[in-house]
Amino acid sequence: MAIKEITVPHLGDFSDIPVIEVYIKEGDSIAVDDSLIALESAKAVTDIPSPYAGTIVKVLIKEGDLVNEGTAIAEIEVAAADEKSPAKSEIKAEPPIEAKAQAAEKEAEPVETKAAPPPAPKGEEAPLSLPPLGGAYHATPALRRYARELGVDLSRVTGSGAHGRILHEDVQRFVKESLKGGGVAAKPFALEDFSAYGAIERIPLSRIQKFSGPHLVGSWQAIPHVTQFDEADVTELEAFRRSVKSEIKLSILPFVIKALSSALKEFPSLNASFDEATGEIILKRYHHIGVAVDTPEGLVVPVVKNVEGKRITEIAAELASLSQRARDRKLTTEDLAGGSFSVSSLGGIGGTYFTPIINRPEVAILGLSRIKKQPVWDGEAFAARDILPLSLSYDHRVIDGATAVRFTGHLSGLLTDLRRVLL
Amino acid sequence: MKTIERDLVVLGGGPGGYTAAFRAADLGRSVTLVEKEPVLGGVCLNVGCIPSKTLLHYSEVIEETKEIADLGLHFPPPAIDLEKIRAHKAKVVKGLNDGIASLAKARKVEVIQGVGTLKGAHELLIGDDTAIQFKDLIIATGSRPARIPSIPYDDERVWDSTDALALNEVPKRLAIIGAGIIGLEMASIYHALGSEITIIEMLDSIIPPADKDLKAPLLKAIKGKYQIHLSTKVEEVAASEGELTLKLDNGHTIAADALLVAVGRKPNSDSLNLESAAVAVDRRGFIIVDEQLRTSAQHIFAIGDVTGDPMLAHRASAQAKVAAEAACREKSAFLPLGIPSVAYTRPEIAWVGLTETEAGERGIEYTKGTFPWQASSRAMSALAAVGVTKALFDKKTGRLIGAGICGKNAGELIAEALLALEMGAVSEDIALSIHAHPTLSETFAIAAELALGRATDMLNR
């Protein structure tokens, strides 16, 4: 038996990553690859697995700490057999913080709940005069009153004082962050008792939803969204796509990404971020396209880097690999970082148009819906054409309406005749 | 009958009621206080805590002069002038009555004497002659001694706590039913004045809510002085001209010249006509309130004994402030971590937060530090080596969850534990705070050190 220290592995080019959950406590016995902590980085929740099996002797980290590669997580008394060879740790990235609202969460098991207890009727005991001692938080009476006045639920505030004591500053910070649009509303919306109207069921939000929610709220509240709808005639493109003999199955997505890159070159303000502090627009000379991928755990947005220099088949191959790794939960934080523009494709499912939420700090997102055969007047007669619906949400502080509609028109033209990409 | 319109009405002028009235007045409300007695202060001031503590001071002096006789200081036996004692007690009470009355006047709180009964959700009838229409109401009607059937209450030798505090006579033999705080305090007073005391308690211990080890020093101290029958019921009380005869279910028969019945208190909620205002009570008659002290009627609040245990003046006045603030739309809540209980016995017992029993019931794992006062230099020099200080800490968080003290001045000493509890102090916070030596207060710090296993004044177990 020996005591080893477990440290944070290489996480890509990130520093000061917040710990959002600590799964272990002293005395826990764990196996290799059991999750130790969850980190929030690059809009994803990343579990750090244990390289050893054994018993946790000491936890050296707490929620809210900022960590880097090499930061000590815990001391573990290693089972003899494991002493020499720490298992190679694979960082699994879990879905995340998604810029689109349609995360279909599958892991959430429905939980049977009884209707909320009705107000105490006559004949019941008066409630215990002593409330549950200590509560879920650690704060002095004056601070509890202060929090009550501000409507802050102290069980949601992390204490920075000794032994986790919640200090005045902690409450102030919590309120400031809430106001900033971190999205954590200080007081939840008061619901009525729906069970009065019929049977109800309560299902907890998944961890992924819990973390993505505030980001979605933040983006939605901070960015004045406008969504431009347009359509592209992709009849020739579809005929060409089907005729291509390729090792990998080619969907229309890599073609759209290639055309998108070409369009972004013409309209650089859509491939940008807005620096609210300085009032500047940061144009990005690289085209890193985030693509929403549906996995059993929910949606992830891995990023295909530098599509401007890649061939369509290369993009397709990379997309296939990213999707597979997403489903196997093997994406690294690097796979999820650095996006400059996002695409959300619901084409495989259906629908016509939708209004995607911008993946902050990007300034635009393109939604693709299902291609439909539609009658189009060609000047003499109606012809059956393949029409792809486009939905572009953009940050109106950075992009004006004329630019947006020119952009979608340009993109539509590129998709109708892909040869123009070469021009 | 005349009808008057008022803003905020407080029903009951005890420590809960007058505090609520004063706080609400300070917050700008126009307040009317309705009290059935001609003076403010309620049971606590007039026939409870204050007169009993005044009399207990006499018993303390008497007992101390007795105890020190063996140590080389002799006093003649006390000569007791009951009339003077009663006059002193009345003076103390009156001084405080006047103080409250002048505070009410200075705050422009209108005081109406009368018995209030609800008529609907917005009207309070005062006797037969006045109806007050109110916006908000705070009910603070308190409690009264509970009675057990089969006791001849009409006999003037049968007392409740009010009769006992009247101090009309010192009976040669006083029997007391109930070994709770009130029963034991009265035993102290009358024993010192010369009565032979017999205590009969239905449950298996004195002061049932407190932990056994906390009560042990007290039990030891009173066992030689009183006859105590635990786990015993009184089957019959027979009143003859010469004496009262109590038949106990353990076979004993007790002859007494007076009988004090101190078997708990019941809420004054039954004659308020609460149903008419849709104010809900529980099965024992206590008014059900939320953490803002609101009853099931949104504009009617209730505080103090009428809302349940523990029936203590300091709980009532703390609730009073919350209710007054809530009635003034402030975001107050009554969520204390602890309410101290004090028995002014000899030695005193005081505790706050969770007892060991309660911690066990809640499944909280705790560490305990117990410091016996035989090892306290201050206690020894003050002839107070009968006592114990103990502190309970949550094993997980290290935080104080409860504390208990038995010994001289326990009621004062518990304040430190209460503050530590509310401030979320961990055992180390208490152990590292330097306490004066030699004092009784340092026993609390040593208890914390014992819980940490780093005491020096005693061996760590």
Side-chain angles (χ1 to χ4, degrees):
Chain A
M1 305 290 257
I3 293 191
K4 303 256 181 189
E5 191 176 81
I6 305 175
T7 58
V8 175
H10 180 62
L11 295 166
D13 269 342
F14 300 101
S15 55
D16 293 342
I17 305 163
V19 176
I20 49 175
E21 203 167 337
V22 176
Y23 302 118
I24 47 169
K25 57 180 190 307
E26 277 156 38
D28 281 359
S29 58
I30 55 166
V32 172
D33 275 355
D34 278 0
S35 293
L36 301 170
I37 55 172
L39 302 179
E40 182 183 359
S41 64
K43 293 169 273 168
V45 177
T46 303
D47 280 354
I48 303 296
S50 172
Y52 303 105
T55 309
I56 300 292
V57 178
K58 200 168 192 184
V59 180
L60 303 167
I61 222 166
K62 65 178 190 303
E63 280 168 32
D65 283 356
L66 301 180
V67 301
N68 293 300
E69 181 181 355
T71 304
I73 298 171
E75 284 174 8
I76 181 169
E77 189 166 292
V78 181
D82 281 321
E83 263 180 49
K84 280 171 198 138
S85 52
K88 186 156 168 38
S89 64
E90 195 85 59
I91 300 168
K92 294 166 190 163
E94 245 183 57
I97 298 297
E98 224 303 83
K100 280 134 245 118
Q102 49 271 6
E105 189 43 59
K106 282 155 196 150
E107 54 189 17
E109 294 273 325
V111 176
E112 282 286 337
T113 43
K114 291 185 197 102
K122 266 191 181 185
E124 265 187 29
E125 287 286 311
L128 261 185
S129 43
L130 283 178
L133 204 108
Y137 46 83
H138 186 175
T140 64
L143 194 75
R144 303 202 294 268
R145 169 176 280 235
Y146 177 61
R148 250 193 320 273
E149 275 165 9
L150 297 176
V152 170
D153 174 1
L154 281 178
S155 65
R156 296 166 70 186
V157 179
T158 311
S160 65
H163 306 282
R165 194 191 308 262
I166 301 172
L167 309 176
H168 206 260
E169 299 89 271
D170 296 325
V171 174
Q172 287 175 326
R173 196 180 316 116
F174 182 86
V175 171
K176 271 185 203 152
E177 275 163 20
S178 301
L179 290 176
K180 240 190 258 162
V184 191
K187 210 169 191 179
F189 184 75
L191 297 175
E192 56 186 319
D193 179 12
F194 301 118
S195 65
Y197 307 118
I200 56 162
E201 181 178 308
R202 280 178 176 264
I203 300 169
L205 275 188
S206 73
R207 202 158 55 100
I208 293 153
Q209 286 173 312
K210 273 183 200 156
F211 285 110
S212 60
H215 286 259
L216 290 167
V217 171
S219 178
W220 181 249
Q221 289 179 338
I223 300 176
H225 279 68
V226 181
T227 304
Q228 175 66 52
F229 302 128
D230 209 333
E231 57 189 27
D233 181 336
V234 293
T235 315
E236 273 77 34
L237 175 56
E238 279 292 273
F240 172 66
R241 182 176 70 83
R242 287 197 204 94
S243 72
V244 176
K245 298 272 175 285
S246 164
E247 282 176 21
I248 350 158
K249 198 181 144 245
L250 276 179
S251 73
I252 194 163
L253 191 54
F255 293 91
V256 173
I257 290 174
K258 192 65 199 174
L260 182 63
S261 172
S262 176
L264 290 174
K265 213 174 284 173
E266 290 290 317
F267 295 87
S269 66
L270 279 93
N271 189 58
S273 284
F274 181 44
D275 188 337
E276 291 175 14
T278 63
E280 289 171 318
I281 297 167
I282 303 166
L283 302 180
K284 294 164 188 171
R285 301 294 179 210
Y286 51 84
H287 296 166
H288 295 350
I289 309 298
V291 181
V293 176
D294 198 12
T295 75
E297 274 87 28
L299 280 171
V300 267
V301 193
V303 178
V304 186
K305 307 257 162 60
N306 297 312
V307 294
E308 72 277 13
K310 282 178 179 156
R311 294 187 296 137
I312 290 169
T313 47
E314 286 174 328
I315 296 171
E318 218 170 294
L319 273 175
S321 148
L322 285 171
S323 311
Q324 189 55 47
R325 277 189 287 149
R327 278 188 284 274
D328 297 344
R329 298 185 61 182
K330 284 188 176 162
L331 289 175
T332 67
T333 46
E334 275 166 281
D335 288 333
L336 296 163
S340 62
F341 189 100
S342 294
V343 176
S344 172
S345 175
L346 298 176
I349 304 167
T352 51
Y353 296 94
F354 63 104
T355 58
I357 295 178
I358 295 162
N359 193 1
R360 200 155 64 141
E362 296 166 16
V363 293
I365 180 167
L366 180 67
L368 304 175
S369 301
R370 171 173 281 181
I371 297 168
K372 243 193 205 160
K373 277 258 188 275
Q374 285 186 7
V376 175
W377 187 252
D378 66 4
E380 289 169 10
F382 280 106
R385 306 291 295 175
D386 292 322
I387 302 298
L388 170 65
L390 304 173
S391 309
L392 177 82
S393 292
Y394 58 90
D395 184 339
H396 206 356
R397 295 171 303 178
V398 179
I399 299 150
D400 58 37
T403 308
V405 74
R406 279 193 201 107
F407 173 80
T408 57
H410 183 75
L411 178 64
S412 170
L414 294 174
L415 290 169
T416 301
D417 187 350
L418 207 61
R419 290 172 302 181
R420 289 188 206 169
V421 169
L422 302 172
L423 292 177
Chain B
M1 166 145 1
K2 67 169 186 216
T3 298
I4 54 176
E5 278 181 34
R6 291 293 184 267
D7 176 23
L8 175 73
V9 173
V10 180
L11 182 58
Y18 72 71
T19 303
F22 294 177
R23 181 74 185 121
D26 287 350
L27 290 170
R29 296 290 295 261
S30 159
V31 182
T32 301
L33 182 56
V34 178
E35 165 59 45
K36 67 176 191 296
E37 300 292 335
V39 288
L40 296 177
V43 169
C44 169
L45 171 52
N46 297 296
V47 286
C49 336
I50 305 304
S52 66
K53 263 82 265 179
T54 309
L55 296 182
L56 275 163
H57 182 67
Y58 285 91
S59 71
E60 196 160 325
V61 172
I62 295 171
E63 297 288 350
E64 286 206 337
T65 57
K66 272 195 219 160
E67 280 165 25
I68 208 157
D70 290 344
L71 305 169
L73 180 58
H74 298 274
F75 292 95
I80 295 166
D81 182 342
L82 279 188
E83 200 174 319
K84 259 202 169 155
I85 295 176
R86 282 193 296 265
H88 170 63
K89 183 193 66 168
K91 195 179 151 204
V92 170
V93 171
K94 172 128 195 332
L96 292 164
N97 284 143
D98 292 348
I100 298 169
S102 68
L103 287 174
K105 202 172 170 196
R107 287 185 160 93
K108 301 195 167 54
V109 170
E110 175 191 31
V111 180
I112 294 178
Q113 194 193 341
V115 175
T117 313
L118 278 161
K119 184 190 170 196
H122 285 278
E123 198 168 53
L124 193 69
L125 303 180
I126 311 299
D128 305 328
D129 55 355
T130 312
I132 306 178
Q133 303 219 317
F134 58 83
K135 270 195 205 134
D136 295 315
L137 175 70
I138 298 176
I139 300 173
T141 46
S143 62
R144 60 180 184 272
R147 293 191 155 199
I148 30 182
S150 82
I151 301 264
Y153 284 100
D154 295 340
D155 193 305
E156 61 180 29
R157 291 167 295 181
V158 177
W159 299 348
D160 61 16
S161 55
T162 307
D163 301 320
L165 288 169
L167 199 67
N168 290 322
E169 54 161 333
V170 178
K172 185 164 177 296
R173 297 163 299 176
L174 174 64
I176 299 174
I177 305 180
I181 290 176
I182 296 174
L184 290 175
E185 288 181 0
M186 295 302 172
S188 262
I189 295 170
Y190 279 91
H191 177 264
L193 295 176
S195 296
E196 292 165 19
I197 307 287
T198 304
I199 298 177
I200 305 112
E201 166 64 48
M202 194 176 71
L203 299 174
D204 64 356
S205 78
I206 57 168
I207 314 180
D211 279 332
K212 258 208 166 71
D213 57 348
L214 203 60
K215 295 181 286 203
L218 173 64
L219 195 58
K220 203 175 150 199
I222 60 175
K223 253 187 178 162
K225 296 179 179 169
Y226 319 147
Q227 269 200 56
I228 302 172
H229 297 269
L230 296 176
S231 307
T232 305
K233 279 186 199 149
V234 176
E235 283 184 336
E236 201 192 320
V237 179
S240 69
E241 204 167 312
E243 62 185 19
L244 296 166
T245 311
L246 282 72
K247 233 176 95 187
L248 310 186
D249 69 350
N250 62 3
H252 285 79
T253 304
I254 312 287
D257 303 303
L259 168 65
L260 166 63
V261 184
V263 291
R265 302 181 65 84
K266 57 183 289 189
N268 290 331
S269 60
D270 38 7
S271 58
L272 296 173
N273 193 20
L274 294 171
E275 311 78 48
S276 74
V279 171
V281 296
D282 73 8
R283 137 168 92 67
R284 293 182 296 163
F286 291 116
I287 297 177
I288 299 170
V289 291
D290 66 11
E291 62 184 38
Q292 289 215 312
L293 289 323
R294 267 179 223 279
T295 66
S296 48
Q298 280 298 296
H299 64 295
I300 300 180
F301 300 78
I303 56 173
D305 290 5
V306 79
T307 64
D309 288 316
M311 293 193 235
L312 298 166
H314 46 274
R315 170 172 169 269
S317 57
Q319 287 183 326
K321 290 168 193 166
V322 171
E325 286 162 5
C328 297
R329 310 292 174 258
E330 285 198 6
K331 289 179 186 167
S332 267
F334 183 72
L335 294 168
L337 299 187
I339 301 169
S341 292
V342 181
Y344 293 84
T345 43
R346 187 177 169 83
E348 291 182 3
I349 292 187
W351 71 97
V352 69
L354 298 184
T355 61
E356 288 192 64
T357 315
E358 287 166 337
E361 280 165 2
R362 292 178 192 215
I364 298 173
E365 285 192 66
Y366 59 89
T367 50
K368 174 166 76 157
T370 306
F371 184 61
W373 285 21
Q374 290 96 311
S376 157
S377 49
R378 180 73 186 117
M380 287 163 73
S381 50
L383 301 188
V386 177
V388 64
T389 297
K390 81 168 171 178
L392 309 178
F393 300 94
D394 188 318
K395 247 187 192 159
K396 261 190 240 137
T397 61
R399 287 173 63 185
L400 183 74
I401 56 168
I405 301 173
C406 178
K408 190 186 177 80
N409 287 341
E412 305 293 336
L413 295 170
I414 201 67
E416 181 182 358
L418 167 73
L419 188 64
L421 180 72
E422 286 287 359
M423 301 298 285
V426 297
S427 46
E428 229 175 7
D429 291 329
I430 298 163
L432 292 177
S433 301
I434 301 172
H435 287 63
H437 175 79
T439 57
L440 297 176
S441 66
E442 69 184 325
T443 61
F444 184 54
I446 300 171
E449 286 181 338
L450 284 164
L452 286 163
R454 49 167 102 144
T456 51
D457 295 81
M458 221 182 116
L459 289 178
N460 296 292
R461 265 169 297 159

